[in-house]
């Protein structure tokens, strides 16, 4: 066998522009709003469940409280992470390249190919347009 096709990860980088910063801020603010809505829903559901279980004198009250606290903590941590990302966006400078994600793509490898050349691939985008493939 002289060649094989494999799937490899390709980094996607974005050039920071004012438009990109605005889009990122909007996405993060939507994520924060979603976390707040989930927290509110959890609190309402928890109150209702605890009230019902307390009236029934159920032994599950403590387990429900613990589950609620765990769910609440998870969402509060997510919200804190989003707030931290929001701060980092303000520090980004225009023209700077930032990692936006990864995609997977096939590549054919032949005998004698450079392994570094196979793995080190990047796509650079600016305002949603591919400006470089390297």
């Amino acid at each position: 066998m002289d060649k094989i096709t494999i799937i490899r990860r390709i980094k996607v980088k974005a050039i920071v522009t004012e438009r990109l910063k605005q889009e990122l801020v909007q996405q993060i603010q939507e994520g924060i709003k979603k976390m707040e809505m989930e927290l509110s829903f959890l609190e309402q559901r928890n109150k209702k469940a605890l009230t019902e279980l307390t009236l029934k004198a159920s032994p599950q009250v403590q387990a429900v409280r613990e589950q609620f606290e765990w769910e609440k903590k998870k969402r509060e941590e997510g919200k804190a992470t989003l707030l931290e990302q929001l701060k980092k966006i303000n520090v980004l400078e225009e023209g700077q390249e930032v990692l936006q994600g990864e995609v997977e793509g096939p590549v054919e490898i032949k005998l004698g190919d450079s392994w570094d050349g196979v793995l080190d691939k990047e796509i650079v985008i600016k305002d949603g347009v591919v400006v470089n493939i390297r």
Side-chain angles (χ1 to χ4, degrees):
M1 178 182 297
D2 292 348
K3 63 183 175 179
I4 188 172
T5 301
I6 63 169
I7 304 296
R8 53 122 186 249
R9 292 179 184 240
I10 304 166
K11 293 178 185 174
V12 178
K13 292 186 175 182
I15 297 174
V16 176
T17 63
E18 193 58 38
R19 177 178 159 193
L20 176 66
K21 288 172 75 171
Q22 289 173 354
E23 288 172 0
L24 292 173
V25 166
Q26 182 180 2
Q27 289 172 4
I28 290 172
Q29 287 173 339
E30 288 171 4
I32 291 170
K33 193 180 292 185
K34 180 182 174 197
M35 292 286 179
E36 289 171 346
M37 288 173 52
E38 288 178 8
L39 279 167
S40 176
F41 175 76
L42 277 173
E43 286 177 20
Q44 290 173 358
R45 193 177 80 190
N46 184 54
K47 274 186 186 178
K48 182 179 177 182
L50 287 176
T51 301
E52 289 174 6
L53 291 172
T54 303
L55 290 174
K56 294 178 183 177
S58 175
Q60 295 176 327
V61 172
Q62 186 60 31
V64 169
R65 275 194 186 113
E66 289 173 5
Q67 178 67 27
F68 168 72
E69 288 302 321
W70 182 80
E71 292 284 344
K72 181 180 173 183
K73 182 179 178 184
K74 191 169 84 170
R75 281 163 180 81
E76 287 174 344
E77 288 172 353
K79 184 178 172 183
T81 300
L82 290 173
L83 289 169
E84 192 62 36
Q85 289 176 353
L86 199 55
K87 290 177 187 176
K88 289 179 182 178
I89 289 172
N90 294 325
V91 180
L92 295 176
E93 296 179 18
E94 285 201 33
Q96 178 181 359
E97 287 185 9
V98 293
L99 183 64
Q100 193 164 25
E102 288 185 345
V103 294
E104 291 184 347
V107 64
E108 187 176 279
I109 302 172
K110 298 180 291 252
L111 293 175
D113 284 348
S114 167
W115 185 246
D116 291 336
V118 169
L119 295 181
D120 291 340
K121 298 293 180 193
E122 294 179 337
I123 298 170
V124 182
I125 58 174
K126 182 176 181 179
D127 291 335
V129 177
V130 176
V131 294
N132 200 347
I133 298 173
R134 47 184 175 211

